[in-house]
Amino acid sequence: LFLSPPFSLFLSLCPLSPSLTSFVLFLFSMQQGRMFLFIGTIMALVQGGYLRRQPAGSEKKTAMTGIAVLIPGMLLVGLASSAWLLYFGLALYSFGAGTVVSCLTTLISEYGNATEKGRVMGIFRSLGALARAVGPALCCSMYWSVGPFICYSVGSVLFIIPLLLLRRV
């Protein structure tokens, strides 16, 4: 449960990122739509293909790999000065996000006995929802105050926290 708030908060800093970055790169509506299609397609392929082929019991390792991939993905999105660099960063971000959320849910579902599982999952989901409500406001404030590079750099560095927490599980 302790992984949910930091990971969800840091991950929720990202959903607005493509829109904000596309503003800097002057992407039009159709280009933004293609960008979100790209993100969704990668996440669907990761969850429907890659994760399904992972052996049972490898959730922790897979989640750690996903978080490790998110870090350079966010840095590249923050550095993006071209559509190519933006898409490369988004590919890493999409892979990581698609991997970690599912693996963390699986790991959390193993906690508690049969009568506590509903409560454990409910708390996990509630903390994630709270983080997803607070994260975009923090992201926008930081983005417009200090710019994209610092915003994404701070986000990348913050992902080290859930990576270290997960390592201790």
Side-chain angles (χ1 to χ4, degrees):
L1 282 178
F2 60 86
L3 280 171
S4 178
F7 177 77
S8 294
L9 178 64
F10 306 146
L11 187 65
S12 70
L13 295 174
C14 301
L16 294 174
S17 351
S19 295
L20 295 173
T21 302
S22 67
F23 176 78
V24 172
L25 294 177
F26 302 107
L27 300 180
F28 297 106
S29 297
M30 181 62 85
Q31 292 164 314
Q32 288 180 15
R34 287 184 188 133
M35 180 178 58
F36 284 111
L37 176 65
F38 176 77
I39 293 168
T41 301
I42 289 178
M43 291 177 102
L45 290 172
V46 165
Q47 291 175 350
Y50 172 72
L51 283 181
R52 290 188 184 273
R53 290 179 176 81
Q54 297 303 304
S58 67
E59 292 84 8
K60 178 181 170 182
K61 179 183 171 199
T62 305
M64 290 179 71
T65 301
I67 294 172
V69 170
L70 277 167
I71 294 170
M74 283 193 68
L75 282 173
L76 290 174
V77 170
L79 287 170
S81 57
S82 68
W84 184 88
L85 192 57
L86 173 65
Y87 274 86
F88 187 63
L90 290 174
L92 293 175
Y93 164 77
S94 301
F95 175 86
T99 302
V100 177
V101 174
S102 299
C103 288
L104 286 183
T105 301
T106 301
L107 286 171
I108 293 297
S109 71
E110 295 172 0
Y111 284 92
N113 59 36
T115 61
E116 296 174 322
K117 290 209 183 277
R119 183 178 321 141
V120 169
M121 290 303 295
I123 292 170
F124 174 71
R125 292 294 195 182
S126 295
L127 290 172
L130 178 63
R132 285 188 300 278
V134 173
L138 292 175
C139 177
C140 285
S141 298
M142 189 184 330
Y143 186 94
W144 294 115
S145 297
V146 296
F149 178 70
I150 292 176
C151 178
Y152 295 111
S153 296
V154 167
S156 295
V157 169
L158 289 175
F159 269 113
I160 294 171
I161 296 168
L163 188 61
L164 293 174
L165 289 172
L166 187 57
R167 196 171 179 192
R168 294 187 337 183
V169 172

